[in-house]
Amino acid sequence: MTNEQLWQTALGEIELNISRANFITWFRDTFIFKNKEGVATIGVPNGFSKEWLENKYNKLILRAIRNVSSDIKELRFIIVAASSSVSSPTERIIKTPGIKGTPVGQAQSFQELEIDKDTNLNPKYTFSNFIVGSFNELAQAAAKAVVNNPGEAYNPLFIYGGTGLGKTHLLQAIGNEVIEKYKKKKRVKYISSEKFTSELVSSLHNGKIEEFKENYRQVDILIIDDIQFLSGKEKTQEEFFHTFNFLYQKNKQVILSSDRSPKAIATLEERLRSRFEGGMITDISQPDMETRLAILKCKTIEKKIVIPDEILAYIAAHVQKNIRELEGALNRIIAANHTITSNPDMAVVAKILNDIINAPKKLTNHKNIIQAVAEFYDISAADLIHRCRRKEVVGPRQVAMYLMREELKKSFPFIGEKLGGRDHTTVMYACDKLTKEVEKNEMLQQELNLIKEKIYSK
Ligand code: ADP
Ligand code: MG
């Protein structure tokens, strides 16, 4: 594998792990300058990029590179001025021979450059490339209804579901379709709740709060993604509440997404929660086998490549929980090499995908679990451990007990001891209760999944 192929594959993986804007900003004009004796030297265009990649993305880059070539043990970064003889990445990407002459995995990044500055919409997310199955049909139907009758059908529309299941895609598809359908007559704005918060903070800081308000109150369709990040941010919630009311009263459409239902967002102000519940709440769950296959097919068509059904079926059967990972697996196959796709050898395919599919269950410990549970419910770890008997703490504490039992297989006395010296019968009671509840309470299942994601990303 050449350095170029190595870097393209790693980039394909990195891209799936960070926001599109960050990917473009920090990875544009980068390449592998040298790869020798376990040290990969990444060429970057300026000192600013060097600093960011070194400090912020070192681990991610190393992991992505090592997935392709495990002999690389260390990364270095070097500034290579644009005037050097190395061709620009754009040229290089275009020149990179992909399968059947198509540039590999780069179509996406190029479209990204087209993100509209005013609406923040990425044109690649549309209804036409959004596959519908029983897991998301309600959400899709609601989204379509909102396009047809903005401000009237369902207001607000609230879509929730785990990561990588298509919330952002659907939200942006609404925005893109509204623009298409009503031309410039309706103003659309898409923003993540984190970006909303940081814009709000900086406009407060710069004395431009009126401008900020004005800006958001002029839109016809306001789309805020990943609203769970407003949890615990009182000032932002307050501002958002006023904006929301303003738009709502004028029959303007508000669309929100979150990784969990409004009920499950800790420290969401009651008045916001009840506003959200006043509209339409719908979830996206996990796709079934058939839909996973359809999604993979759709992606290959988009990328204009041909991959044997046998390989697609293998991916669909093994990558089940996350559409982003499904795409990641496909990208990896595409990048691996040409011969696999013309002459599929399933043993080789299995090997390439081995670490995505059989990711060894990472080890964790009771501290990670306590911390993740506390963060999720927005309470302090100390409260969780110690004598606090408030209802908001007792429930999460039982969740922590249950997870320590399930994930660590520890004894009841051990768990009791780590949670403030509680008696083992208390732990037994909690585990028993949760085990029963998990079976019938879907919301609890989702919460547990999200907490586990947190635990294993620590
Ligand atoms: P989320 O916002 O829920 O974390 P995204 O919307 O970012 O998930 O989706 C992750 C990836 O999976 C994106 O590349 C998206 O285009 C793709 N995807 C998700 N759902 C679908 C679908 N139903 N059909 C086609 N592609 C999908
Ligand atoms: Mg998203």
Side-chain angles (χ1 to χ4, degrees):
M1 188 182 257
T2 65
N3 283 344
E4 189 146 318
Q5 286 166 334
L6 169 60
W7 191 229
Q8 294 302 337
T9 313
L11 283 180
E13 183 133 344
I14 291 166
E15 187 180 1
L16 296 167
N17 281 290
I18 62 176
S19 80
R20 305 183 185 281
N22 273 330
F23 179 74
I24 293 294
T25 310
W26 304 117
F27 289 89
R28 184 189 291 180
D29 291 342
T30 57
F31 58 99
I32 294 185
F33 182 76
K34 205 163 78 183
N35 177 9
K36 223 172 150 187
E37 288 154 10
V39 181
T41 307
I42 315 291
V44 301
N46 51 50
F48 204 43
S49 291
K50 180 166 182 276
E51 206 174 285
W52 269 78
L53 294 183
E54 250 169 3
N55 296 330
K56 208 161 173 245
Y57 294 121
N58 202 7
K59 240 166 117 179
L60 175 66
I61 301 171
L62 190 61
R63 198 172 63 210
I65 285 199
R66 284 177 54 87
N67 277 338
V68 192
S69 166
S70 56
D71 358 309
I72 296 175
K73 302 273 183 293
E74 197 189 324
L75 293 180
R76 281 189 204 143
F77 296 87
I78 177 173
I79 301 170
V80 179
S83 61
S84 87
S85 61
V86 182
S87 60
S88 84
T90 327
E91 282 171 61
R92 279 184 290 115
I93 286 161
I94 291 170
K95 281 187 205 147
T96 307
I99 289 160
K100 302 206 188 312
T102 314
V104 172
Q106 290 303 322
Q108 270 188 0
S109 337
F110 276 108
Q111 284 198 352
E112 238 160 272
L113 297 170
E114 292 167 23
I115 290 178
D116 186 282
K117 287 210 170 51
D118 198 30
T119 63
N120 293 328
L121 291 171
N122 183 331
K124 82 171 200 185
Y125 294 118
T126 63
F127 279 105
S128 61
N129 61 9
F130 188 77
I131 305 284
V132 184
S134 56
F135 72 109
N136 64 6
E137 67 188 347
L138 222 59
Q140 195 259 7
K144 282 261 179 182
V146 162
V147 171
N148 291 329
N149 289 300
E152 283 165 25
Y154 305 117
N155 207 8
L157 171 61
F158 190 105
I159 295 174
Y160 72 94
T163 40
L165 292 175
K167 299 180 299 293
T168 297
H169 189 137
L170 195 53
L171 257 53
Q172 294 230 6
I174 300 177
N176 283 319
E177 182 113 336
V178 164
I179 302 270
E180 169 96 20
K181 190 171 157 104
Y182 303 92
K183 304 298 170 209
K184 298 272 165 200
K185 292 208 189 80
K186 296 227 180 270
R187 287 196 57 181
V188 178
K189 196 163 185 71
Y190 166 92
I191 192 157
S192 70
S193 75
E194 283 168 303
K195 188 103 186 294
F196 182 85
T197 306
S198 70
E199 268 189 21
L200 174 66
V201 171
S202 70
S203 62
L204 279 169
H205 191 76
N206 302 328
K208 292 195 167 159
I209 185 70
E210 288 310 317
E211 228 170 88
F212 173 89
K213 284 185 183 171
E214 193 48 30
N215 195 359
Y216 281 93
R217 289 176 191 193
Q218 277 173 4
V219 301
D220 298 295
I221 319 260
L222 178 62
I223 307 174
I224 304 203
D225 207 353
D226 289 322
I227 197 99
Q228 74 272 9
F229 293 121
L230 289 190
S231 173
K233 302 196 175 89
E234 277 168 43
K235 282 264 174 279
T236 314
Q237 286 191 25
E238 163 121 25
E239 189 50 49
F240 175 67
F241 180 75
H242 293 308
T243 304
F244 180 95
N245 277 348
F246 183 91
L247 294 174
Y248 185 79
Q249 277 158 15
K250 295 193 143 196
N251 284 334
K252 307 294 187 192
Q253 179 71 45
V254 179
I255 305 164
L256 307 160
S257 86
S258 161
D259 64 353
R260 59 198 95 158
S261 74
K263 273 204 182 61
I265 306 178
T267 64
L268 181 68
E269 269 190 60
E270 204 41 53
R271 55 183 183 172
L272 268 181
R273 196 186 319 266
S274 68
R275 280 287 187 281
F276 296 167
E277 287 172 352
M280 166 80 158
I281 300 179
T282 166
D283 74 328
I284 298 185
S285 57
Q286 286 167 6
D288 54 27
M289 172 73 193
E290 206 173 292
T291 321
R292 295 199 295 275
L293 204 51
I295 291 171
L296 286 171
K297 287 235 173 209
C298 170
K299 301 285 169 194
T300 57
I301 293 167
E302 252 174 42
K303 292 177 200 282
K304 298 199 185 68
I305 48 162
V306 182
I307 304 251
D309 284 350
E310 207 181 339
I311 297 184
L312 297 184
Y314 181 88
I315 300 176
H318 288 88
V319 182
Q320 299 170 347
K321 292 194 176 144
N322 179 326
I323 297 172
R324 188 176 294 126
E325 279 178 13
L326 206 59
E327 239 185 301
L330 180 66
N331 281 342
R332 228 194 248 184
I333 291 289
I334 296 172
N337 67 43
H338 312 210
T339 50
I340 286 192
T341 51
S342 51
N343 180 17
D345 174 345
M346 295 317 288
V348 177
V349 169
K351 195 157 168 247
I352 294 171
L353 299 179
N354 181 48
D355 59 306
I356 296 190
I357 290 164
N358 299 321
K361 205 164 162 75
K362 284 192 220 144
L363 294 177
T364 188
N365 54 41
H366 68 274
K367 284 187 188 144
N368 280 348
I369 294 183
I370 291 172
Q371 211 189 340
V373 171
E375 270 171 26
F376 183 86
Y377 293 106
D378 212 15
I379 51 185
S380 76
D383 273 355
L384 195 69
I385 296 171
H386 295 114
R387 291 280 153 203
C388 180
R389 279 176 194 279
R390 272 179 295 135
K391 186 167 143 269
E392 311 88 270
V393 178
V394 173
R397 186 181 293 134
Q398 292 181 336
V399 167
M401 290 174 177
Y402 173 78
L403 286 171
M404 280 159 82
R405 181 75 182 168
E406 288 293 304
E407 301 300 305
L408 306 177
K409 311 283 177 227
K410 292 289 186 192
S411 70
F412 296 122
F414 173 92
I415 298 171
E417 187 208 312
K418 296 299 173 201
L419 284 164
R422 288 182 161 73
D423 193 74
H424 73 278
T425 53
T426 312
V427 182
M428 278 168 75
Y429 168 79
C431 292
D432 195 41
K433 179 176 160 219
L434 269 277
T435 308
K436 285 187 189 126
E437 206 170 321
V438 164
E439 272 177 31
K440 48 183 199 244
N441 184 341
E442 214 171 293
M443 201 169 99
L444 180 63
Q445 288 165 18
Q446 278 184 6
E447 285 186 27
L448 291 172
N449 284 339
L450 289 165
I451 297 170
K452 280 190 229 164
E453 264 176 37
K454 258 186 192 293
I455 292 173
Y456 290 104
S457 65
K458 279 185 191 299

